[in-house]
Amino acid sequence: MTHGCLKCLKYTMCVANFLCFVCGVAVLGLGVFMMVNFKLTALMPSLANFNLASMLLVSGLVITCVSFLGFLGALKENRCLLLTFFLMLFFLLLVELTAACLLLMYEHKIADWVQRDLNQGLQDAKSEHPGESRSEWDLVQMTFDCCGVHNVSDWGDDVPASCCKADCEPPRTPQYRSTGCLDVMKIWFEENFLITGIAVIVFCIIEVLGMCFAMTLFCHISRIGLGYKL
């Protein structure tokens, strides 16, 4: 009976980690695709190396590597791989909990920093040679129906066409989008805060279950003398 349960646990780990591996490859591919086609780094200059594409790329690599370790360790009943899988999940769990605590503790400071960075990005877009910065702001303003950081006055006399909402063709007086992109971001975050919290909790539960399964299988292999000795 015990042997059958542990065998079921082994193949459950294999299937679960294989599905996570596939998801990791998909996230990795999406990160590469966004890095090649979308470079939204001029909005927040200090996050040029930590944009969404880079985060997806790193997340995909981490998920792929960790799930591969879990899959191979369970399939081969290798204690070394299972222990490595357990430690990596434990480390990721600590990182997630630490990041969540820091976000809650320094929420206002982070909001002020985001505002300063957006202002700097807009100033760069208003420069004499804005390059691709202006096109990035155009994409965000048209997607989120906003204009500037706080309102249209942030652009001064050089208001981009993406801020126009109606009557954009001369000689009509254009009607600009009234909401700033910073306010839209705050509203979006508040609306999705609960969903984000639930997602983090689900990820933590999955990681804890993975750690429990890995340690159970590790102890069983150690008890019957299988796998590589440490």
Side-chain angles (χ1 to χ4, degrees), residues 156-177:
D157 297 329
D158 187 20
V159 181
S162 59
C163 276
C164 184
K165 190 173 184 178
D167 299 329
C168 301
E169 298 296 331
R172 298 179 177 180
T173 302
Q175 298 179 17
Y176 296 116
R177 308 178 196 275

Side-chain angles (χ1 to χ4, degrees), residues 9-21 61-89 92 207 209-211 213-215 217-218 221:
L9 176 62
K10 168 185 172 179
Y11 289 110
T12 300
M13 277 194 65
C14 289
V15 172
N17 280 286
F18 177 76
L19 293 176
C20 290
F21 179 82
L61 285 173
V62 171
I63 295 172
T64 302
C65 294
V66 173
S67 58
F68 179 76
L69 279 176
F71 173 80
L72 194 61
L75 183 65
K76 297 296 185 180
E77 297 185 356
N78 188 302
R79 289 192 299 163
C80 183
L81 292 177
L82 287 172
L83 184 59
T84 304
F85 175 71
F86 174 87
L87 293 175
M88 291 185 72
L89 283 182
L92 289 175
E207 289 170 353
L209 288 175
M211 291 166 57
F213 286 1
M215 188 52 60
L217 196 57
F218 174 86
I221 294 170

Side-chain angles (χ1 to χ4, degrees), residues 44 106-120 149-150 182 186:
M44 302 181 68
Y106 299 100
E107 179 181 358
H108 296 292
K109 290 185 178 180
I110 293 174
D112 294 338
W113 171 75
V114 169
Q115 180 176 339
R116 288 196 302 269
D117 219 33
L118 283 174
N119 285 325
Q120 181 60 47
V149 179
H150 299 96
L182 180 62
K186 288 181 179 179

Side-chain angles (χ1 to χ4, degrees), residues 84-102:
T84 304
F85 175 71
F86 174 87
L87 293 175
M88 291 185 72
L89 283 182
F90 180 72
F91 175 75
L92 289 175
L93 184 63
L94 287 181
V95 171
E96 291 171 6
L97 293 177
T98 302
C101 292
L102 290 176

Side-chain angles (χ1 to χ4, degrees), residues 8 32 36 43 54 98 101 104-105 108 111 128 144 146 148 158 163 168 170 207-208 215 217:
C8 179
V32 173
V36 173
L43 294 177
S54 300
T98 302
C101 292
L104 291 175
M105 290 173 60
H108 296 292
E128 185 178 356
F144 294 99
C146 60
D158 187 20
C163 276
C168 301
E207 289 170 353
V208 170
M215 188 52 60
L217 196 57

